[in-house]
Amino acid sequence: MDLNILHNISYGMYVVSSNKGDALNGQIANTLFQITSEPVTIAVSINKGNLTHEFIESSGRFSASVLAQSAPLSFIGNFGFKSGRDGDKFNGVKIKKLASGCPVALDHAIGYIEAEVINKIDCGTHTLFIGKMSESAMLNTDIPMTYNYYHQVKRGTTPKTAPTFIKDEGMVAGGTKMQKYRCEVCNYIYDPAAGDPDNGVEAGTAFENIPDTWVCPVCGAKKDQFVKEG
């Protein structure tokens, strides 16, 4: 089997959030889609080990903020590669708390949807939550980020708990004879040909010439947590 075909299935990028009482949490999700139009029903796949899964089970609700192409890797990394059990992911993030108590991430979002869970399907490692839309809003007309854009342009990586994770995948943008380096925490590939413009590292900068204070743009790992790729 060629697992690369799976990268050609279309996805978006969302911050899916929920609450358990006054406690709030959110995570990055790409497997979210509309099922019906009357009523509007939305489905999202969430790993059973994630705190967001626990919160959706508790509250019976979830929200999905649709991320714009301009959303930085650091923002996605905060919700995608960190656990809410270790700290407040919403710290420093602009949010809206809906009447139900469910939070919505507003930073870098073009709009949001809230849904009340009406059914769920056990999918082994994940649960597919099916919800009836209870609230929604457009915030701006920016271009939504696709999963392909996240990988090919942003050069982002996939956490192991994601439904689309493929073991040992390496999303590398562009070709270069300069040595590439891989983050041991999240598998982000630093490619000198592309650099890291969002964090002041120009294209063509060798890894050795990056300041020691630089960190992985996805998960925040330090420079010494990178290893040579290939």
Side-chain angles (χ1 to χ4, degrees):
M1 292 188 295
D2 186 353
L3 296 181
N4 287 312
I5 187 61
L6 298 176
H7 292 307
N8 294 287
I9 298 176
S10 297
Y11 303 94
M13 291 291 286
Y14 314 92
V15 175
V16 172
S17 307
S18 191
N19 68 296
K20 186 176 183 180
D22 293 331
L24 311 177
N25 195 62
Q27 67 165 76
I28 293 295
N30 55 44
T31 310
L32 182 145
F33 52 95
Q34 181 179 349
I35 299 176
T36 62
S37 59
E38 292 184 5
V40 177
T41 54
I42 305 294
V44 64
S45 178
I46 302 294
N47 188 284
K48 291 178 181 178
N50 289 1
L51 187 62
T52 304
H53 186 284
E54 178 184 325
F55 282 20
I56 296 175
E57 288 270 32
S58 174
S59 68
R61 291 181 179 273
F62 63 87
S63 71
S65 300
V66 183
L67 294 184
Q69 277 189 0
S70 57
L73 281 179
S74 57
F75 181 83
I76 297 172
N78 175 60
F79 284 98
F81 288 90
K82 296 180 181 180
S83 173
R85 296 183 177 91
D86 300 326
D88 181 8
K89 292 186 183 182
F90 288 112
N91 184 32
V93 176
K94 185 178 180 181
I95 69 169
K96 178 179 181 179
K97 200 170 182 179
L98 304 180
S100 64
C102 188
V104 172
L106 300 179
D107 288 346
H108 310 295
I110 66 173
Y112 65 84
I113 297 167
E114 183 198 33
E116 180 181 359
V117 176
I118 57 174
N119 202 351
K120 59 183 180 180
I121 300 173
D122 188 330
C123 300
T125 57
H126 290 67
T127 297
L128 187 69
F129 290 104
I130 301 172
K132 179 180 177 181
M133 187 169 72
S134 52
E135 188 171 339
S136 63
M138 286 291 297
L139 302 175
N140 54 63
T141 57
D142 291 346
I143 300 172
M145 184 185 297
T146 64
Y147 195 48
N148 183 65
Y149 185 93
Y150 167 69
H151 273 302
Q152 300 298 332
V153 179
K154 291 287 189 177
R155 296 175 295 113
T157 55
T158 306
K160 293 181 179 179
T161 56
T164 53
F165 174 75
I166 298 176
K167 186 178 179 181
D168 297 329
E169 72 172 345
M171 297 308 241
V172 183
T176 174
K177 293 182 180 180
M178 299 177 73
Q179 178 66 55
K180 298 169 186 171
Y181 282 75
R182 176 177 57 84
C183 175
E184 292 186 292
V185 177
C186 72
N187 287 324
Y188 166 81
I189 303 292
Y190 175 76
D191 183 354
D196 181 16
D198 287 348
N199 293 292
V201 179
E202 297 182 358
T205 303
F207 185 80
E208 294 79 4
N209 295 331
I210 301 175
D212 291 338
T213 54
W214 179 83
V215 297
C216 175
V218 176
C219 70
K222 295 180 179 180
K223 187 179 175 183
D224 61 9
Q225 291 177 278
F226 277 72
V227 294
K228 289 183 178 180
E229 176 67 8

